[in-house]
Amino acid sequence: PRACKKFDDENFNMKHEVGVLSMANAGPGTNGSQFFITCKPCPFLDGKHVVFGKVLNGMEVVRATEAVPTLDRDRPIYPPVITRCGQLVLRKKKTRRKKRKRRNQKRKKYRTAWPLSETAKAHRG
């Protein structure tokens, strides 16, 4: 796994109740991109991990994930997979050819009969 940039704790205003999202860390000011969802009250985490959200809908999915049987060291016997969840699919990057074609079309649109000043060229993009 790639290391992520760490950042400072924001605040400890929210408590670790059932169904909250909390940032995992390795001590003060070491938050990264790992988080967990609480399945029961965890007051022993208050003041140590930053709560930044709450499950509003779909707690049954959290409960189903929690119910997956585990092996030694609390590892699930199979990886829980969430499907059909409205996952954001990133579009492919435009190729250079398409970018160049679009740029040329924009240039044609703004052609003038007189030469543009350097300032006008900079603002035109």
Side-chain angles (χ1 to χ4, degrees):
R2 294 193 316 185
C4 62
K5 185 177 179 182
K6 306 290 184 201
F7 53 92
D8 292 337
D9 296 321
E10 293 179 20
N11 65 58
F12 296 111
N13 296 340
M14 298 175 70
K15 303 299 178 197
H16 286 84
E17 301 165 352
V18 175
V20 297
L21 273 64
S22 185
M23 187 69 62
N25 65 40
T30 61
N31 294 297
S33 60
Q34 294 182 341
F35 67 92
F36 57 91
I37 300 172
T38 56
C39 296
K40 61 182 179 181
C42 301
F44 56 91
L45 297 176
D46 294 344
K48 296 177 183 171
H49 298 274
V50 176
V51 174
F52 64 93
K54 183 172 179 76
V55 176
L56 298 177
N57 296 310
M59 192 62 186
E60 65 277 2
V61 176
V62 175
R63 293 292 183 205
T65 304
E66 178 188 23
V68 173
T70 58
L71 299 170
D72 61 323
R73 297 176 64 205
D74 213 23
R75 291 180 305 156
I77 60 171
Y78 58 86
V81 178
I82 299 172
T83 60
R84 292 188 236 158
C85 60
Q87 178 181 351
L88 177 65
V89 178
L90 299 176
R91 293 187 293 169
K92 290 182 180 179
K93 288 184 176 181
K94 293 181 180 179
T95 62
R96 287 182 184 215
R97 177 178 279 166
K98 286 182 181 178
K99 285 182 184 177
R100 197 174 301 129
K101 187 176 180 181
R102 256 185 105 163
R103 191 176 335 120
N104 290 338
Q105 287 173 345
K106 284 183 182 179
R107 285 182 182 163
K108 286 179 186 177
K109 184 178 176 181
Y110 294 108
R111 283 200 176 145
T112 61
W114 60 91
L116 294 173
S117 69
E118 292 303 314
T119 305
K121 285 180 185 176
H123 287 289
R124 191 174 87 181

